[in-house]
Amino acid sequence: MKKNTVVKTFMPYLMLFIVILCTMYLFDTLNKKVNTLNYNEFATYLEEGKIEELTVTPRSGSGVYELVGKLEDYDVNETFELIVPLSDSVIENILNVSEQQNLNVVTKGDPSNSSWLVILVNIVPTLVIIGLSLYLINKLMGNAKGGGTFDFGKSRAKINQESTTTFKNVAGLKEEKEEVSELIDFLKNPKKFQKLGARIPKGVLLVGPPGTGKTLLARAVAGEAKVPFYYISGSDFVELFVGVGASRVRDMFKEAKQNAPCLIFIDEIDAVGRQRGTGLGGGHDEREQTLNQLLTEMDGFGSNEGIIIIAATNRPDVLDPALLRPGRFDRQVTVNLPDVKEREAILEVHAKNKVLDENVNLKRIAERTPGYSGADLENMLNEAALLAVRRNKLSIGMDEIDEAGDRVLMGPAKTSRKVTDFEKKVVCFHEAGHAVIGIELPNGEEVHKITIIPRGMAGGYTQMLPKEERTMVMTKDELLDRITSLLAGRVSEEMFLNEMSTGASDDFKKATRIARSMVTEYGMSDLGPVQFEHRSEEVFLGRDYTKSRNYSDTVALEIDQEVRKIIDVCYKRAKDIIQKNKDLVNLLSETLMSKETLTKEEIEDIVNNYKKSKSSKKAKTVKTVNKTKKVTDK
């Protein structure tokens, strides 16, 4: 631990201890009662034997004795004092009487002869009070680095001195790294760009879902750049007092100008950059003033040459348009979810410090994790490492990685939950129905795993992944196949158990959402290529609760009918497929009852054996029919 850290850690406790001692001393002083006597009164009390305690202290410099004592009728904190001339007769009289009355007289030395005592009594308290005052003033008013209680207007931006993260630590994001590398090149060699009249963007906005590596990319820029790098969160500008955020923005750019060329990174800029004029009350004034000051500093009357701002957000829809215009955030860099090659590269980066089994195939893991962000993949490998340690293994195997993937996706397995045989049977047929639809549909997704072990709120699940990973478009047939697959669980329950369970509620929710989007947004119905609905995304009224409705009540009825039509067609299609493959559904359900979890390889073996037995039965049936026909002909 560093010396400064130790001082900062124990200083508050030391100050508290001093305050307690001073309080106790002050309290004890206030409770004491001191009576002043003259010598005649003292002599009378001494002769009468009413003095219980007596202390004699000579004051040689003053030529007197200080007598402090206590009478027999005094309270606990009550004493008397008096000053007598420095003469031998007085002391002899006191000593003679004390011998007769057995009075204990304590004689002290002259305290003025001890220089250390003088310093301790007179100088140390003054120094303690001055030091305590300076310490409190320094903490309240703030020091040169900011952070004081009254240091409202100082910038909270921190300068990055030693960043170990570089572009080598950022897997994938090839185009994104090229975009930000251009900024670093400009800061290092601006003449190369200025020869052709190029103007480097003043600001770059990193946009993308959570966990895709926006902040990591900014840290890598800090590691690659040889210029000062300031980083701050958008929430650090927002304060209770109006005008503080704007003052912090001014101070941040003032400090950046002094160290130009430099980079400023603002994380979660949507906390301060939301659209202006959308508040329902007056509480938005502070945020709007902060945003106005940020807009002025980025592109106003003043010039901030050599300062480049990088900001990150996953809510670009709520940002103020003035913040996104050319001259401020000139360029937007979209950081999307990684594809299969990028996922493999990310897994290789996070697997460097982990001990993996020889049978662990990172490419296969990448293929099985579509839709995972970089943070999800890192978390999955970390969970796998924790599971390996928990199981007392020396390395991380595929079993741990599979289990970790399920934990990230659905939550930990609830093996202790008591499940009845009927519930288990319902889940088996439900998941088997999903799997058979995925196996039989031409545009269906591949079934990678089936389990009936409860996780989270689900009693089981079927993991189905696309045959080819695509992120751009989906066709109408693919959407219909997805709805059919979602409805297959309920169809299987009705057909084999003649029952309906609540397990299909989430499937219905997803299927209805897809069908309604096909009708109202994608134009994939008999109503034609018309968009009836789109999310208005009100910033403060709740983005998920407000939709723009561009149709009449008559059209609303037609939309409901079209949605119902799509659901009915897909439901009937699922029913026909499961009816034709009843034996396969039964076979998968029985296997699930015994094994509880089926992997892709086990599912493929079951399906291949089923198809072989089915083809052999069909061949035997054909031979039997042919023999019967020959006998009939004869």
Side-chain angles (χ1 to χ4, degrees):
M1 186 180 292
K2 295 182 179 180
K3 184 177 180 180
N4 292 338
T5 306
V6 174
V7 172
K8 290 181 180 179
T9 303
F10 292 100
M11 180 60 73
Y13 299 101
L14 178 61
M15 303 308 297
L16 179 62
F17 179 71
I18 293 174
V19 170
I20 292 175
L21 288 181
C22 294
T23 304
M24 293 176 62
Y25 176 77
L26 181 62
F27 182 78
D28 187 55
T29 303
L30 293 175
N31 285 340
K32 283 186 177 181
K33 183 179 179 181
V34 180
N35 299 318
T36 303
L37 303 180
N38 55 40
Y39 183 75
N40 293 330
E41 292 176 336
F42 168 75
T44 303
Y45 290 138
L46 182 64
E47 292 177 358
E48 294 177 354
K50 294 183 177 181
I51 298 178
E52 294 182 347
E53 299 176 4
L54 184 61
T55 301
V56 180
T57 305
R59 303 292 185 184
S60 59
S62 303
V64 294
Y65 282 107
E66 181 183 4
L67 305 180
V68 178
K70 195 171 185 180
L71 300 180
E72 59 182 8
D73 57 347
Y74 276 8
D75 295 333
V76 177
N77 295 323
E78 187 176 3
T79 59
F80 68 84
E81 66 177 10
L82 72 155
I83 302 298
V84 297
L86 184 61
S87 61
D88 295 337
S89 60
V90 174
I91 297 302
E92 290 178 359
N93 184 30
I94 293 174
L95 292 177
N96 292 332
V97 175
S98 61
E99 289 179 359
Q100 297 175 2
Q101 300 178 359
N102 295 324
L103 175 64
N104 185 20
V105 178
V106 178
T107 304
K108 291 185 176 181
D110 188 0
S112 61
N113 295 329
S114 176
S115 59
W116 288 107
L117 186 59
V118 172
I119 294 174
L120 183 64
V121 174
N122 298 318
I123 299 177
V124 171
T126 304
L127 294 177
V128 169
I129 293 173
I130 294 174
L132 179 61
S133 301
L134 293 176
Y135 175 77
L136 293 177
I137 291 173
N138 184 55
K139 293 297 290 183
L140 292 175
M141 299 303 295
N143 49 29
K145 295 183 179 180
T149 306
F150 295 128
D151 190 16
F152 298 120
K154 291 292 184 180
S155 172
R156 294 295 189 266
K158 301 177 182 178
I159 187 170
N160 189 82
Q161 298 288 358
E162 300 177 358
S163 178
T164 58
T165 305
T166 62
F167 285 155
K168 294 181 180 179
N169 304 112
V170 183
L173 304 180
K174 182 179 179 180
E175 294 79 9
E176 291 81 356
K177 285 190 285 189
E178 290 178 355
E179 293 285 340
V180 295
S181 296
E182 192 176 76
L183 305 179
I184 299 174
D185 293 339
F186 177 82
L187 292 171
K188 291 181 178 179
N189 188 13
K191 294 182 180 180
K192 180 175 67 172
F193 295 87
Q194 293 171 355
K195 284 181 180 180
L196 299 178
R199 178 184 61 82
I200 201 68
K202 292 186 178 180
V204 175
L205 183 64
L206 303 179
V207 179
T212 51
K214 299 184 294 296
T215 306
L216 178 64
L217 184 60
R219 287 207 304 266
V221 173
E224 296 286 343
K226 302 300 182 181
V227 296
F229 185 90
Y230 295 91
Y231 61 96
I232 190 172
S233 174
S235 60
D236 288 333
F237 292 111
V238 182
E239 191 57 74
L240 174 66
F241 305 101
V242 176
V244 173
S247 176
R248 290 178 179 174
V249 172
R250 288 190 295 270
D251 186 71
M252 180 181 69
F253 277 88
K254 179 182 177 181
E255 187 176 352
K257 289 177 186 178
Q258 296 172 356
N259 295 278
C262 66
L263 289 168
I264 297 176
F265 175 63
I266 304 176
D267 197 11
E268 304 296 343
I269 195 174
D270 52 276
V272 69
R274 293 188 174 221
Q275 295 178 17
R276 292 167 292 178
T278 52
L280 299 180
H284 62 289
D285 290 341
E286 159 64 5
R287 182 185 54 77
E288 288 193 1
Q289 288 189 22
T290 306
L291 175 58
N292 291 335
Q293 187 63 44
L294 181 62
L295 296 175
T296 304
E297 293 289 347
M298 290 187 68
D299 186 26
F301 284 104
S303 61
N304 289 317
E305 296 180 358
I307 300 175
I308 297 176
I309 300 177
I310 303 176
T313 181
N314 48 35
R315 296 283 305 278
D317 53 298
V318 304
L319 295 180
D320 194 276
L323 197 62
L324 304 178
R325 73 157 176 82
R328 289 184 178 128
F329 282 106
D330 309 78
R331 186 179 298 176
Q332 289 191 29
V333 178
T334 302
V335 185
N336 286 318
L337 292 170
D339 58 18
V340 61
K341 291 183 179 179
E342 291 175 331
R343 290 197 298 272
E344 184 178 357
I346 292 171
L347 288 171
E348 290 176 356
V349 170
H350 293 301
K352 285 183 179 179
N353 61 342
K354 293 179 175 59
V355 182
L356 302 178
D357 280 347
E358 295 181 355
N359 62 341
V360 173
N361 189 342
L362 296 180
K363 182 177 180 181
R364 180 186 168 194
I365 298 171
E367 293 173 350
R368 294 174 53 182
T369 52
Y372 278 54
S373 66
D376 292 332
L377 295 173
E378 190 276 333
N379 187 32
M380 182 182 69
L381 289 182
N382 183 63
E383 288 287 345
L386 294 176
L387 284 171
V389 174
R390 199 177 305 164
R391 294 173 180 178
N392 296 322
K393 288 190 174 183
L394 300 178
S395 60
I396 304 170
M398 284 299 297
D399 293 339
E400 286 75 33
I401 294 177
D402 289 339
E403 174 67 18
D406 293 339
R407 290 171 69 92
V408 172
L409 186 66
M410 302 290 294
K414 299 183 178 180
T415 55
S416 61
R417 178 185 293 179
K418 184 177 180 181
V419 181
T420 63
D421 293 338
F422 177 75
E423 289 177 326
K424 198 173 181 180
K425 193 173 183 181
V426 170
V427 176
C428 284
F429 278 108
H430 183 100
E431 301 302 335
H434 285 306
V436 168
I437 294 294
I439 294 169
E440 295 296 324
L441 285 177
N443 297 319
E445 298 176 320
E446 288 185 346
V447 182
H448 279 249
K449 187 176 184 179
I450 312 173
T451 180
I452 59 173
I453 298 175
R455 289 181 182 273
M457 299 298 294
Y461 75 96
T462 302
Q463 186 181 22
M464 303 175 69
L465 303 177
K467 297 175 183 177
E468 293 181 358
E469 186 174 343
R470 293 188 301 178
T471 58
M472 300 299 293
V473 296
M474 291 190 68
T475 64
K476 181 179 178 181
D477 290 339
E478 290 174 338
L479 292 174
L480 291 175
D481 288 349
R482 181 167 291 185
I483 295 174
T484 303
S485 176
L486 290 168
L487 298 175
R490 169 57 64 84
V491 172
S492 181
E493 293 175 10
E494 289 182 341
M495 188 174 296
F496 292 94
L497 300 175
N498 197 25
E499 288 285 352
M500 295 183 185
S501 72
T502 59
S505 60
D506 189 59
D507 297 333
F508 295 158
K509 178 182 178 181
K510 295 177 181 177
T512 305
R513 184 186 303 161
I514 296 173
R516 190 168 187 86
S517 296
M518 291 175 63
V519 176
T520 61
E521 297 181 36
Y522 308 146
M524 297 179 178
S525 69
D526 294 338
L527 296 180
V530 181
Q531 189 178 57
F532 296 101
E533 290 180 351
H534 67 276
R535 298 186 184 277
S536 61
E537 298 181 349
E538 294 294 339
V539 181
F540 290 99
L541 295 180
R543 185 174 59 175
D544 298 327
Y545 295 97
T546 56
K547 283 187 178 182
S548 176
R549 173 173 168 169
N550 300 323
Y551 50 84
S552 62
D553 292 338
T554 303
V555 177
L557 177 61
E558 294 178 358
I559 291 174
D560 292 339
Q561 291 174 347
E562 288 295 322
V563 173
R564 168 59 63 185
K565 182 179 177 181
I566 293 174
I567 295 294
D568 290 343
V569 169
C570 293
Y571 192 87
K572 184 178 183 302
R573 189 184 180 195
K575 196 170 184 179
D576 294 339
I577 294 174
I578 291 180
Q579 182 66 37
K580 293 179 182 178
N581 297 274
K582 292 182 68 173
D583 295 337
L584 180 57
V585 175
N586 274 315
L587 183 59
L588 288 172
S589 178
E590 291 174 359
T591 311
L592 273 174
M593 284 288 289
S594 58
K595 290 190 174 183
E596 293 188 341
T597 299
L598 295 177
T599 62
K600 180 183 178 182
E601 293 76 13
E602 293 173 334
I603 296 170
E604 289 177 349
D605 291 339
I606 294 172
V607 173
N608 291 333
N609 294 331
Y610 167 75
K611 290 182 177 179
K612 287 180 182 179
S613 62
K614 188 176 181 180
S615 60
S616 61
K617 287 180 181 179
K618 187 176 182 180
K620 289 180 181 179
T621 304
V622 172
K623 289 180 181 179
T624 305
V625 171
N626 291 335
K627 288 181 181 180
T628 305
K629 186 176 182 181
K630 289 179 181 179
V631 172
T632 305
D633 292 340
K634 290 180 180 179

